[in-house]
Amino acid sequence: MGGTISKVEGDQYIVTMIGYLNTISVKDTIKKEDGFLELAKTLPKLDIYHELLNATPLNKPSIYQVPQIKWKRIDKVKAFPNGLLLMRATICRIDPVFGQGMSIAVLEALALQKILQEQKGSLQQTITVFHKKVAKIIAPIWKMVITEDFRYPDITGKKPIELKIQQWYAKQIYLLSIEKRDVYDHFIKVMNLVEPISFLMKPRILGSVLRRIFVK
Ligand SMILES: Cc1cc2nc3c(=O)[nH]c(=O)nc-3n(C[C@H](O)[C@H](O)[C@H](O)COP(=O)(O)OP(=O)(O)OC[C@H]3O[C@@H](n4cnc5c(N)ncnc54)[C@H](O)[C@@H]3O)c2cc1C
């Protein structure tokens, strides 16, 4: 279970509770008078709960269930229908917990703009180039997301062989982010897709991780 409070316009906030594998009861959360507040009370830390105690709810909570995440490898389909260009959620539905969907949409739109401006071949070639480019955009983000999703043992799917190492390194980054502003800044830029994952492998960050393991 986890939760976030995000500031939006008009001095308002969106409060989100996140649960994997049906840990959140739809019935209890929506139907009970204080269902949402009670849910916040079950989080490992009570800071969100304490904020909510003094907050005014502007509407009733709503539940959004994501049965699975999916990446359709259309870039590998050889006989793709002519003239059909797919993008965003039609190709990849990513875990919404990380709030990256809209950023991926923007990266894909920018890639499409560039490809159209530079296009030399036929329309079909242009579409193929775009689908391959989309796969390149999604690959590192998908890797990042499944690294976290596979922490839940009941989540099924194809696991990369380097998964355990990625999970170990990501955990060190989370723990360091609490202590070190610099690491947090790097982490948040990668999570928000401003920088690539390699940004978290910079010698300075790697050094901080190693120091945390061996010096502490
Ligand atoms: C709970 C949740 C929270 C999220 N939070 C974030 C976040 O904080 N940050 C972030 O970046 N991303 C977030 N996302 C992801 C983001 O919403 C999606 O990545 C993004 O909306 C995908 O855009 P899209 O245009 O591909 O699809 P959509 O936004 O789903 O748009 C598809 C549209 O097509 C319409 N449509 C479907 N079928 C037809 C049809 N046959 N004919 C005509 N119209 C049709 C649908 O009604 C819909 O309006 C979240 C997703 C979820 C589910």
Side-chain angles (χ1 to χ4, degrees), residues 10 31 36 41 46 53 88-89 106 113 157 210:
K31 299 220 169 118
F36 197 69
K41 212 174 178 179
L46 291 178
L53 282 179
R88 262 313 299 139
V106 170
Q113 182 188 43
L210 295 177

Side-chain angles (χ1 to χ4, degrees), residues 16 64-66 87-90 92-105:
T16 309
Y64 198 100
Q65 290 173 301
V66 181
M87 63 191 299
R88 262 313 299 139
T90 52
C92 178
R93 222 166 348 109
I94 212 122
D95 187 339
V97 163
F98 304 100
Q100 295 166 324
M102 304 307 290
S103 307
I104 299 175

Side-chain angles (χ1 to χ4, degrees), residues 67-159:
Q68 61 192 337
I69 64 167
K70 196 172 250 179
W71 178 11
K72 294 184 202 142
R73 297 305 308 265
I74 57 153
D75 54 301
K76 293 191 171 174
V77 177
K78 292 217 163 61
F80 202 73
N82 269 350
L84 180 64
L85 183 147
L86 302 186
M87 63 191 299
R88 262 313 299 139
T90 52
I91 300 179
C92 178
R93 222 166 348 109
I94 212 122
D95 187 339
V97 163
F98 304 100
Q100 295 166 324
M102 304 307 290
S103 307
I104 299 175
V106 170
L107 292 176
E108 289 183 12
L110 290 173
L112 181 58
Q113 182 188 43
K114 191 161 182 280
I115 288 167
L116 289 174
Q117 281 166 350
E118 292 169 359
Q119 71 160 327
K120 291 180 192 93
S122 65
L123 173 66
Q124 202 49 37
Q125 282 165 336
T126 305
I127 291 175
T128 304
V129 169
F130 175 66
H131 286 162
K132 289 198 184 306
K133 178 69 190 171
V134 168
K136 282 195 177 146
I137 291 171
I138 293 170
I141 307 164
W142 181 262
K143 200 186 222 181
M144 206 164 24
V145 164
I146 61 170
T147 298
E148 292 317 308
D149 286 2
F150 277 133
R151 287 192 196 274
Y152 300 86
D154 289 345
I155 288 191
T156 54
K158 196 176 160 201
K159 295 181 182 171

Side-chain angles (χ1 to χ4, degrees), residues 13 66 92 98 101 112 139 158 161 167 173 190-191 196:
Y13 296 82
V66 181
C92 178
F98 304 100
L112 181 58
K158 196 176 160 201
I161 39 171
Q167 287 177 330
I173 295 291
V190 172
M191 281 305 284

